[in-house]
Amino acid sequence: LIAAVVWGLFVSQKATIAVPGAVRLIIEVAVFALAVLALFAAGQTSLALALGGLYILHRVLLSAVDR
């Protein structure tokens, strides 16, 4: 629930609090990193690796499109 609130306040397209791009990226990475760690802690290694890998792929593709 906390992650959803943080995402809505700082990261979403309609975020209520505008933050610089670098801060937005740090928050985004932190939310996904915590999700991956939670999956590892729950014994869901395959899902954790899949989520982490897909997030990295997503960021790489976004940076390629932004160029």
Side-chain angles (χ1 to χ4, degrees), residues 34-59:
L34 288 172
V36 169
L37 289 174
L39 285 169
F40 270 121
Q44 299 295 323
T45 306
S46 297
L47 288 175
L49 293 173
L51 178 61
L54 288 171
Y55 176 72
I56 291 170
L57 177 64
H58 169 76
R59 292 306 310 173

Side-chain angles (χ1 to χ4, degrees), residues 13-64:
Q13 292 285 334
K14 297 180 181 180
T16 55
I17 301 172
V19 294
V23 174
R24 182 184 182 278
L25 180 61
I26 290 169
I27 295 169
E28 183 179 323
V29 169
V31 168
F32 275 94
L34 288 172
V36 169
L37 289 174
L39 285 169
F40 270 121
Q44 299 295 323
T45 306
S46 297
L47 288 175
L49 293 173
L51 178 61
L54 288 171
Y55 176 72
I56 291 170
L57 177 64
H58 169 76
R59 292 306 310 173
V60 167
L61 292 174
L62 276 180
S63 69

